[in-house]
Amino acid sequence: MLAQYIMLVFVGLLIAPVAGGLIAGLDRRVTARVQSRFGPPLLQPFYDVAKLLGKESMIVNSWQVFCAYMYLLGAVLSVVLLFLQSDLLLLFFVQAIGALFLVFGAMSAPSPYSQVGAQRELMQILAYEPLLILVFVGIYLATGSFQISEILTHEQPLLFKLPLLFIVLGYALTIKLRKSPFDFSTSHHAHQELVKGVTTEFSGPYLAIIEVAHWYETVLVLGLVALFWSTSLWGMLALLLGTYFLEILIDNTMARLTWRWMLSYVWIVGLVLSVLNLSWLYAS
Amino acid sequence: MLPALLFICIVVPILAAGACFVVRAQAVRSATVLTTGALLTVGSVLLAAQGAFSFDPGTLGGLGWGTLISVLDFLLLAVILFYGFRLKSRLVQILALLQIAPLAWFELFALDHGAAVLPLHGDGLSLLMVLVISIVGSLICIFAIPYMKKHEEHLHLAKSRQPRFFFFLVLFLGAMNGLVLANNLLWLYFFFEVTTLCSFMLIGHDGTEEAVRNATRALWMNSLGGVAFVFGMILLYSRTGTLDLQALLMAGPLAGAVLLPVALICLAGFTKAAQVPFQSWLLGAMVAPTPVSALLHSSTMVKAGVYLVLRLSPLYAGSFLGTSIALFGGFSFLATAALALGQSNGKKILAYSTIGNLGLIIACAGLGTPAAMSAAILLILFHAVSKGLLFLCVGTIEQGIGSRDIEDMRGLYKVMPRTAIITVLGVATMLLPPFGVLLSKWLAIEAAAHNAPLVVMLALASALSVVYWGRWAGMLMSAPFSREVKPEPLSALTLRPLQILVGGAIVLALFIPWIYDSFALPMLGESVFSVHYGVLTTGAGAFAVYPLFFAVLLGALFAWWAARKSRFVPATSLYMGGANATGSLEEPAFVGPMNKPVKVAFGNYYLESVFGEGKLTRWVNIAALALLLLVMGGAL
């Protein structure tokens, strides 16, 4: 039992960043195709990180270093909890450590770009946090547990019972993956890479740490998506691919909008959908 | 042993308060406060180690303690009435009379003085409260010694007002211990009123016009609670024939019309806990010197309110009254989280956060399930330690930099590194896993999952609180690069309480399983958790306390080590779109119009157009009043 747990932890630790990096590479290629370009090689994100790691360290503030590592810690721990099939709410709170330390890191530099990025990131957190909690509450009401190991024993795909909450998760996913229209605290597009919100003041190895942590986060949110069709491997894969492709499409067809719009739009739509779906669950 | 320990916890602080008032020498006062703190700490730990107890102190030289309390009760109300006239507050006068008259009638004509009512009783909840009051409360009183000295130096007073200040501060501890250990509702009411008087005196301490105005508001709002308490108590007696809390709780859940008096006593609890729409008195209390705020918010006063609601929870569990109390508490949590988001005043953020956390406790009491009650009990403890700490931090910062505005705390790490780190850690214990406040929140959300409106409120409130805490912690770390940061000088009596509290807030997380088994379990009867390797497992989920604690600790130590090492890393200039005006990181500036350097300035988003006090308070109060009507209506 214990050996199995330890193995799961290592699988999570090692596979997740590889998978996250590959997804990032695939994302860039598919995005390029959607825009009628060729795009970089699949392994480009790994090359990027390797290059960053080789650079000389330069910092604005020692807290930056602390915060970069803490961001990584939060992301890694939450992925480990995911692989250990732990409590969904606990996993959510642990990922919040990472999310917050990224903000702290950006705030530690007295630079206007990173400060604005930090404020916007906080608004993003404010937008997705309540929705994620409600998604987890919905999963609990449908399966009787917050424990992933228990949820996996549920016999029907959760998607059937929680279709609206899946859409709500989609909003949270778009924000978490930093995709348009919700990508104003940092973004992956070439024309914006010079000034990249929260990460503006991070450079070299510390930026590499943040990049790797983001790969872990990508695996985490996709793991949550996978829970909605956990009954069959093919169903899970189809759901993951479909959802991610939809994310790329949305990313490429939507313009970035203001955080004010995001906050009111995501809260209103998200809450209405959540409450509707939760009401069905209470009724049934 | 037991009588001696009870004497230490309840009577010694009262005597010490008298000593502080009578003997005017600073040295004697400091010694008295320190000794009382030590006595209270030891006494409360020994008392808690004894476990649950019932106690009747008998008579005092032939005179019954009950009679003494009754006499003191009327004296106390007379004092409040006197202040009503002195302040020319018609409201305070009326509310005092509305307590005196029915109480006199009750004691003289209705109450059967021959009936045996057990005066004192201690169980898990009250013993945990005694520990919080005695230890956290004492640390705050000790912190107040150097604080008040500096405070008065700043005010240039001709005659020190400290004797009066410490009289009420230390008296508070004794009154609170009496309150939580009282089993006779009349005794409980007496101590309840003592806390009202103490808080009134402490809020008005500085004697400025604003202080007096705010103290008056606190007095009338809490007197309103007192009136509700008196009427609730009399009605309860007329319907059940007893004032014995344990006897009432043993008899089990109430139903129908008997719930009305319970709802009235809960209303008294709401006013004391400053729940919306009564939040204004606690916010007004911020004019008082910071140790007062710390005491009111963490270990006394407002905790008396939630204690009362939680104590009565078994009486209304499962009823419509319980459900509406849960919604009322949840709304307080949400409304104050929104209000806190719009604030840049550090003390106000802490105040709103307190009201919100108390709202969460009240919501849990309303749910009344073992899981919810466990969450409430744990939250009382962990909130007290973290919030006491944070208030003391703000007090220290305010005396250090002359401001309590969080915008002015930017770069605090460079000026006051010790205080800044302690404050960041304090915020972390309010916000992040594996600390106790978050564990309680986790348990509360799991317990509330079956109540859709409540869980939506908790989800929103929790996200809002992440933003206002996160923003603050981030600003404390914000500082330009500096190779060496010199620790600021702090007196031992300032630094030690901070260190003990921050250590407690962190390490207590490790003791959650033990705290739960010792204080919550005996009361609830059935365990909500099973514990394996420090992982708390409920039927619905699990919280890995130990594994998480050590993983986060190791990670944080590594990150800290890496950060320390990075002192030797070359500093880079900020990104200013290529328009850096100077190479200096101390005063970042960019090249502006006419080639003049423009200093960089930025601020947080406070979203005042939505979350500003001016915008939100009126609507919050209206909604809260409606919910309060729902609570009262639910009892009918």
Side-chain angles (χ1 to χ4, degrees):
Chain A
M1 193 68 169
L2 194 64
Q4 198 191 346
Y5 279 147
I6 293 173
M7 212 184 74
L8 279 174
V9 170
F10 273 97
V11 169
L13 282 179
L14 300 176
I15 303 275
V18 177
L22 285 175
I23 292 167
L26 197 66
D27 185 335
R28 288 174 75 166
R29 279 192 77 86
V30 176
T31 301
R33 288 301 159 92
V34 171
Q35 297 169 348
S36 310
R37 291 186 285 120
F38 267 109
L42 185 64
L43 296 182
Q44 187 62 41
F46 295 100
Y47 303 148
D48 290 348
V49 164
K51 189 183 82 177
L52 285 173
L53 281 172
K55 287 195 169 191
E56 190 191 353
S57 316
M58 299 267 266
I59 54 171
V60 178
N61 180 322
S62 297
W63 280 102
Q64 278 191 312
V65 181
F66 182 73
C67 294
Y69 280 108
M70 290 302 280
Y71 175 40
L72 181 64
L73 179 73
V76 170
L77 276 183
S78 52
V79 167
V80 167
L81 286 173
L82 176 76
F83 276 78
L84 285 175
Q85 307 182 0
S86 181
D87 187 294
L88 277 176
L89 278 178
L90 179 64
L91 183 151
F92 165 75
F93 289 134
V94 170
Q95 72 78 31
I97 300 182
L100 275 173
F101 270 96
L102 182 62
V103 174
F104 296 162
M107 284 185 84
S108 72
S111 139
Y113 293 103
S114 87
Q115 290 284 334
V116 169
Q119 298 296 321
R120 289 177 168 183
E121 179 74 11
L122 277 174
M123 291 305 129
Q124 297 198 159
I125 292 175
L126 183 56
Y128 73 70
E129 274 225 342
L131 300 187
L132 275 181
I133 294 183
L134 292 177
V135 169
F136 296 156
V137 167
I139 293 178
Y140 165 71
L141 289 174
T143 64
S145 183
F146 283 101
Q147 196 79 15
I148 298 177
S149 51
E150 293 288 315
I151 294 164
L152 291 179
T153 61
H154 198 65
E155 276 165 10
Q156 257 194 350
L158 279 172
L159 189 61
F160 298 161
K161 272 192 185 168
L162 309 169
L164 297 184
L165 280 173
F166 187 75
I167 301 176
V168 173
L169 179 65
Y171 283 107
L173 189 71
T174 317
I175 300 173
K176 258 308 206 198
L177 291 175
R178 310 184 183 296
K179 300 243 175 235
S180 276
F182 305 130
D183 61 341
F184 34 71
S185 75
T186 168
S187 142
H188 275 96
H189 294 293
H191 63 285
Q192 295 158 337
E193 264 180 10
L194 280 178
V195 181
K196 242 181 102 196
V198 273
T199 54
T200 305
E201 297 296 340
F202 285 97
S203 59
Y206 305 115
L207 187 58
I209 292 173
I210 285 177
E211 204 52 43
V212 173
H214 186 64
W215 294 346
Y216 276 103
E217 280 194 328
T218 307
V219 171
L220 179 75
V221 285
L222 291 178
L224 297 180
V225 171
L227 277 186
F228 277 76
W229 207 303
S230 59
T231 47
S232 89
L233 195 61
W234 291 111
M236 196 189 275
L237 270 179
L239 187 65
L240 278 178
L241 285 176
T243 312
Y244 204 90
F245 186 67
L246 203 64
E247 288 292 344
I248 292 177
L249 272 188
I250 292 171
D251 192 20
N252 281 289
T253 51
M254 296 279 180
R256 171 142 49 107
L257 290 156
T258 66
W259 61 263
R260 285 168 210 277
W261 173 83
M262 174 196 69
L263 201 55
S264 53
Y265 172 79
V266 172
W267 268 33
I268 292 170
V269 176
L271 282 181
V272 169
L273 291 178
S274 307
V275 168
L276 279 178
N277 207 151
L278 288 178
S279 315
W280 297 349
L281 291 172
Y282 286 113
S284 64
Chain B
M1 186 71 169
L2 184 64
L5 292 176
L6 288 170
F7 183 81
I8 289 175
C9 289
I10 304 174
V11 185
V12 164
I14 299 174
L15 297 178
C20 286
F21 189 68
V22 178
V23 188
R24 306 242 142 186
Q26 166 86 38
V28 177
R29 190 165 52 240
S30 307
T32 314
V33 172
L34 280 169
T35 320
T36 314
L39 270 176
L40 273 176
T41 304
V42 176
S44 61
V45 170
L46 290 177
L47 188 69
Q50 289 218 329
F53 68 88
S54 297
F55 184 70
D56 187 342
T59 59
L60 186 73
L63 184 72
W65 279 94
T67 319
L68 186 67
I69 295 247
S70 292
V71 172
L72 286 174
D73 221 351
F74 286 105
L75 267 176
L76 187 68
L77 288 168
V79 171
I80 292 177
L81 189 62
F82 163 75
Y83 274 102
F85 281 106
R86 202 168 125 178
L87 295 165
K88 297 195 184 66
S89 165
R90 193 50 56 89
L91 209 51
V92 173
Q93 297 163 19
I94 293 173
L95 290 171
L97 285 172
L98 271 175
Q99 294 176 74
I100 295 173
L103 200 66
W105 171 83
F106 181 59
E107 293 245 14
L108 289 176
F109 303 110
L111 183 66
D112 172 14
H113 287 277
V117 179
L118 189 68
L120 298 171
H121 178 84
D123 64 355
L125 176 59
S126 38
L127 288 174
L128 191 68
M129 289 286 295
V130 170
L131 283 175
V132 167
I133 296 157
S134 303
I135 299 177
V136 181
S138 295
L139 285 170
I140 294 169
C141 290
I142 291 167
F143 176 90
I145 299 171
Y147 186 93
M148 287 312 287
K149 195 158 166 272
K150 248 191 195 169
H151 184 75
E152 295 210 326
E153 277 163 15
H154 187 72
L155 291 177
H156 309 294
L157 292 183
K159 185 175 168 236
S160 171
R161 290 160 58 84
Q162 286 189 55
R164 208 188 80 132
F165 182 80
F166 279 93
F167 173 75
F168 286 109
L169 206 64
V170 179
L171 179 66
F172 223 134
L173 302 185
M176 277 300 294
N177 277 336
L179 191 155
V180 296
L181 291 173
N183 185 55
N184 184 336
L185 273 177
L186 268 173
W187 289 45
L188 207 162
Y189 168 73
F190 166 69
F191 289 120
F192 197 76
E193 284 302 291
V194 176
T195 63
T196 297
L197 182 71
C198 285
S199 70
F200 162 70
M201 290 300 195
L202 288 170
I203 295 168
H205 176 77
D206 281 351
T208 59
E209 196 192 329
E210 192 192 11
V212 174
R213 194 176 57 237
N214 291 347
T216 313
R217 191 190 312 139
L219 187 59
W220 79 252
M221 281 201 178
N222 281 295
S223 298
L224 192 70
V227 174
F229 198 120
V230 169
F231 280 95
M233 183 165 60
I234 295 175
L235 272 176
L236 194 66
Y237 184 75
S238 74
R239 299 210 165 138
T240 62
T242 181
L243 288 178
D244 192 314
L245 258 177
Q246 282 305 309
L248 279 168
L249 293 172
M250 288 293 177
L254 299 173
V258 199
L259 280 176
L260 180 65
V262 176
L264 281 172
I265 299 179
C266 285
L267 176 64
F270 296 160
T271 57
K272 192 130 283 206
Q275 295 298 291
V276 286
F278 306 111
Q279 77 277 31
S280 60
W281 80 256
L282 194 62
L283 288 155
M286 294 302 131
V287 298
T290 303
V292 175
S293 315
L295 202 63
L296 292 184
H297 283 261
S298 66
S299 53
T300 63
M301 199 63 182
V302 295
K303 287 284 154 69
V306 287
Y307 167 78
L308 205 53
V309 179
L310 201 56
R311 171 64 54 198
L312 297 179
S313 171
L315 293 181
Y316 55 75
S319 67
F320 180 72
L321 176 63
T323 314
S324 41
I325 286 179
L327 284 181
F328 177 76
F331 179 74
S332 262
F333 187 28
L334 174 58
T336 49
L339 283 162
L341 190 76
Q343 285 301 319
S344 71
N345 179 325
K347 263 181 131 180
K348 273 197 173 177
I349 294 175
L350 292 182
Y352 278 125
S353 146
T354 299
I355 303 169
N357 279 289
L358 300 180
L360 184 58
I361 295 173
I362 287 175
C364 289
L367 287 173
T369 59
M373 295 287 280
S374 309
I377 293 171
L378 291 175
L379 193 54
I380 285 190
L381 168 70
F382 288 106
H383 175 262
V385 179
S386 293
K387 194 50 70 66
L389 168 70
L390 284 169
F391 265 107
L392 297 190
C393 287
V394 171
T396 313
I397 294 170
E398 197 179 357
Q399 287 195 333
I401 66 170
S403 167
R404 57 173 73 158
D405 194 303
I406 62 171
E407 288 287 345
D408 296 326
M409 293 181 202
R410 243 175 240 285
L412 189 75
Y413 174 66
K414 212 170 163 190
V415 198
M416 303 176 76
R418 281 168 156 174
T419 320
I421 289 178
I422 292 175
T423 314
V424 168
L425 287 172
V427 171
T429 59
M430 282 297 295
L431 174 66
L432 295 178
F435 302 115
V437 174
L438 192 99
L439 181 125
S440 321
K441 212 199 267 176
W442 164 76
L443 198 54
I445 293 177
E446 292 209 348
H450 284 287
N451 186 332
L454 183 60
V455 88
V456 170
M457 288 199 262
L458 298 194
L460 291 174
S462 141
L464 288 163
S465 53
V466 165
V467 174
Y468 68 72
W469 284 127
R471 186 171 70 188
W472 190 353
M475 300 232 291
L476 297 169
M477 300 177 198
S478 153
F481 191 84
S482 175
R483 246 165 254 285
E484 277 304 329
V485 180
K486 278 207 184 64
E488 76 277 25
L490 288 174
S491 79
L493 290 184
T494 305
L495 189 59
R496 291 285 171 259
L498 292 180
Q499 286 171 333
I500 294 172
L501 283 172
V502 76
I506 293 170
V507 172
L508 270 180
L510 274 180
F511 291 90
I512 289 170
W514 177 80
I515 293 167
Y516 182 76
D517 282 346
S518 317
F519 295 100
L521 190 57
M523 228 187 98
L524 300 170
E526 57 174 307
S527 181
V528 180
F529 299 122
S530 59
V531 183
H532 298 289
Y533 305 110
V535 180
L536 301 181
T537 313
T538 66
F543 197 105
V545 181
Y546 289 2
L548 207 56
F549 189 93
F550 289 113
V552 172
L553 184 72
L554 276 180
L557 283 178
F558 176 78
W560 185 251
W561 170 77
R564 290 284 297 169
K565 217 176 55 169
S566 72
R567 277 180 305 161
F568 306 107
V569 160
T572 175
S573 56
L574 298 171
Y575 177 80
M576 299 273 187
N580 294 47
T582 55
S584 155
L585 276 166
E586 298 291 320
E587 291 280 320
F590 62 89
V591 179
M594 309 293 285
N595 261 344
K596 288 276 178 343
V598 177
K599 206 172 165 299
V600 171
F602 31 76
N604 287 318
Y605 293 172
Y606 293 99
L607 281 67
E608 274 178 357
S609 58
V610 187
F611 295 115
E613 268 181 333
K615 293 269 177 190
L616 215 52
T617 303
R618 182 159 36 120
W619 301 109
V620 162
N621 286 347
I622 291 173
L625 215 54
L627 277 169
L628 205 58
L629 284 176
L630 182 76
V631 172
M632 288 302 148
L636 283 171

